[in-house]
Amino acid sequence: MLRSVDRLCREVIGPLQDRCGPQARVLTAEVHGDEVRGLAFCPGKVLRYVLEAENRRLKTTALLRLARSSRQPAA
């Protein structure tokens, strides 16, 4: 089924914001059979997501996490 990228992003953003908060943003969206796959940005991390069409289940995997340094400057 062919759908526009805007529609795919709208389908993904709801479950993504429920899981990661209101600042989550969709970077890419691709249709792979009955799934929508792509990358998303949440504050402090880049995620890979898979949204299953049948049950609207969202799976996420962190690809990159930004960490704060716990080291103190030398002088």
Side-chain angles (χ1 to χ4, degrees):
M1 178 185 333
L2 184 61
R3 294 180 271 183
S4 72
V5 175
D6 290 337
R7 182 170 174 208
L8 291 175
C9 290
R10 283 193 305 266
E11 289 179 17
V12 172
I13 196 67
L16 185 65
Q17 286 182 342
D18 289 344
R19 177 169 291 183
C20 300
Q23 295 178 337
R25 298 292 178 255
V26 175
L27 299 176
T28 64
E30 301 173 353
V31 175
H32 292 270
D34 290 339
E35 298 177 337
V36 178
R37 299 180 189 174
L39 298 174
F41 177 77
C42 298
K45 43 185 160 170
V46 175
L47 303 172
R48 177 176 42 200
Y49 67 84
V50 177
L51 179 66
E52 297 175 359
E54 292 178 12
N55 56 8
R56 308 286 299 158
R57 184 171 167 211
L58 182 72
K59 299 178 194 174
T60 60
T61 305
L63 297 178
L64 175 69
R65 289 188 182 153
L66 302 177
R68 294 182 184 215
S69 175
S70 59
R71 294 174 47 193
Q72 295 294 324

